Amino acid sequence: MKLDPWGAVFVDDYSKLFDEFGISSFDKILPGIDKPHPYMRRKIIFGHRNYDSVLRAMQEHRPFAVMSGFMPSGRAHFGHMMVMNEIIWHQQQGGDAFAAIANMEAHAVRGISWSKCRELGINEYILSLIALGFEPNGHIYFQSDNFKMRNLAFELAAAANFSEVSAIYGFSGETSIAHMESVMAQSADILHPQLEEYGGPKPVVIPVGADQDPHIKLTRDLAYRMRRFLVERREEYVSIRGKSAGVDLMIAAEKALRSAGYHEVKRYEEHIDVLDIKNQEGLRSGSLLEEIDRLIIKVETDQGGYGFIPPASIYHRFMTGLAGGKMSSSKPESHIALTEDPKVAGKKIMKAITGGKQNLSEQKKLGGEPEKCSVYEFLVFHLSDDDSELSELYEQCRNGSKMCGTCKKDVAERIQIFLAEHQKAREAAKERLPEFGIKV
Ligand code: TRP
Ligand code: SF4
């Protein structure tokens, strides 16, 4: 078996997500990405829903957006930084970027005071976002301040009911109403980049950890529910179902299709079939479906509808905790915070659990296991730009020519340099908060 330095071993644990939950493997679309982010190249981003639609928009220079959120409940660490970097990368590719500070969620679910949320939101998340390169043409907001989003949340709540939402989140009779509202706020966070005020319907990607997939699924469902038409692929043609369209809207849809050059258009009472599909390849890849959907969305929005496109998502693997187990904000020994004293960070690396053997001679004989090593993981995720350097270390570790002591020392040094630079950039970001509409 050929092991690649960031391959099969990591991804295996996640493969059941593909079959069980309908997440698609990122591998298949990776070749179509011009200059993929290192997270993509290194299989840290391992899965997606509907990311093809975002890629197509990127390649065809149509509007798209990226959106994710952070709950201000503790310190921001390297795990959160991944989401930040993913937002920023998409912004650099031309996407409109949105970052929510989920203070409604933190207040409702964790009982954190509004002022604490504000402080954590700015100090832990917003400053790091700016320091990492988030540009002011994007949108950073506190949920409670964003009334476009909050109004949409109310609208979405009118389309969701208690049983389905509690089946996803395990609500009970004791769950507070505010907790339920915060779930709707998250869906509205995700969909509001498609409101008219932000340029209307467009593909939006949500970079998150795989644990957030239930939110994505619910939101995709709500997006469908707000639509007046459903555009679907049949074997050889495209069918457009008018869910609550009414005759006028059905006629307008037919007209839009004909003036876009589709002629074999058959309109029935509740659906329209588009039969003259010349572009079979487009039908297969989904691009034709999207093209027709764009026409239909225009018909919807012209009549005051939302015309939402179901949000896309990309999923990254979690980092292992430095002390084994999960990396978590609530366990200081498991993570390194972005505001961590660099010296303390270096010490955490020196104490971290590695894939090394009990003693030196055994390690020389048998080699280490980089795929189980949290120190190696830090390099792959964050501290090395150089793929060949990583391949080399991977080999040296496995064949027993690299020892954990020297390896950890090197990584500890790198993390200190990284943090010192990041923290300097955070200081500079403090001056720039007004550019982002953040009042202190
Ligand atoms: N619920 C997310 C968390 O616990 C935070 C969040 C709020 C979010 N709104 C979002 C994530 C929108 C993605 C998209 O961290
Ligand atoms: Fe990890 Fe380095 Fe030790 Fe290998 S040598 S197990 S990569 S710390």
Side-chain angles (χ1 to χ4, degrees), residues 84-197:
M84 298 180 188
N85 284 334
E86 289 169 62
I87 295 175
I88 291 163
W89 185 81
H90 284 92
Q91 187 179 38
Q92 288 164 350
Q93 309 305 306
D96 199 4
F98 295 76
I101 304 300
N103 62 339
M104 286 168 70
E105 183 179 348
H107 186 70
V109 181
R110 301 277 174 89
I112 299 172
S113 75
W114 295 110
S115 61
K116 186 75 185 163
C117 284
R118 191 135 207 116
E119 180 216 312
L120 288 172
I122 293 174
N123 287 328
E124 293 295 324
Y125 297 91
I126 297 178
L127 289 178
S128 280
L129 263 166
I130 299 172
L132 291 167
F134 192 100
E135 292 289 341
N137 59 4
H139 319 262
I140 301 178
Y141 65 93
F142 283 87
Q143 282 179 323
S144 62
D145 294 339
N146 186 337
F147 285 88
K148 293 186 187 93
M149 180 282 279
R150 294 180 66 173
N151 289 338
L152 177 59
F154 189 79
E155 204 68 62
L156 296 176
N161 70 43
F162 178 75
S163 340
E164 63 170 345
V165 177
S166 57
I168 300 174
Y169 300 100
F171 292 164
S172 72
E174 274 73 55
T175 307
S176 77
I177 309 288
H179 186 164
M180 300 179 200
E181 286 186 34
S182 77
V183 169
M184 291 296 113
Q186 172 151 357
S187 287
D189 281 332
I190 292 172
L191 291 173
H192 91 288
Q194 299 194 58
L195 293 176
E196 202 182 347
E197 292 91 324

Side-chain angles (χ1 to χ4, degrees), residues 67-71 80 100-102 105 110 141 143 185-187 189-190 206-208 211-212 215-216:
M67 187 295 130
S68 197
F70 305 91
M71 179 145 67
H80 299 108
I101 304 300
E105 183 179 348
R110 301 277 174 89
Y141 65 93
Q143 282 179 323
Q186 172 151 357
S187 287
D189 281 332
I190 292 172
I206 318 298
V208 278
D211 64 317
Q212 299 285 310
H215 287 293
I216 303 289

Side-chain angles (χ1 to χ4, degrees), residues 354-356 363 368-370 373 375-376 393 397 402-404 407-408:
T354 68
Q363 180 143 349
E369 293 174 282
C373 175
V375 174
Y376 181 74
L393 170 60
C397 174
K402 189 85 174 180
M403 295 299 119
C404 294
C407 194
K408 286 202 270 194

Side-chain angles (χ1 to χ4, degrees), residues 40-104:
M40 299 172 174
R41 221 173 54 222
R42 293 180 181 175
K43 304 183 185 183
I44 292 166
I45 293 174
F46 67 91
H48 74 100
R49 282 185 193 274
N50 225 32
Y51 191 61
D52 350 25
S53 66
V54 177
L55 284 179
R56 264 196 289 274
M58 221 183 269
Q59 283 152 3
E60 294 165 16
H61 304 287
R62 282 184 279 109
F64 69 97
V66 56
M67 187 295 130
S68 197
F70 305 91
M71 179 145 67
S73 60
R75 297 183 82 180
H77 55 61
F78 278 76
H80 299 108
M81 189 176 75
M82 293 168 63
V83 176
M84 298 180 188
N85 284 334
E86 289 169 62
I87 295 175
I88 291 163
W89 185 81
H90 284 92
Q91 187 179 38
Q92 288 164 350
Q93 309 305 306
D96 199 4
F98 295 76
I101 304 300
N103 62 339
M104 286 168 70

Side-chain angles (χ1 to χ4, degrees), residues 261-317:
Y262 297 96
H263 296 299
E264 243 187 277
V265 176
K266 292 213 171 107
R267 179 165 59 82
Y268 304 88
E269 199 173 331
E270 289 186 337
H271 71 279
I272 299 172
D273 289 339
V274 185
L275 301 164
D276 51 346
I277 301 302
K278 290 172 200 80
N279 183 357
Q280 288 295 330
E281 176 46 37
L283 187 61
R284 259 188 300 280
S285 74
S287 68
L288 184 74
L289 210 60
E290 280 175 24
E291 197 178 303
I292 292 179
D293 200 23
R294 281 197 291 278
L295 292 170
I296 299 300
I297 283 170
K298 179 80 174 36
V299 173
E300 274 190 55
T301 53
D302 281 351
Q303 306 284 328
Y306 287 112
F308 289 140
I309 296 172
S313 51
I314 48 178
Y315 300 108
H316 54 246
R317 300 194 278 116

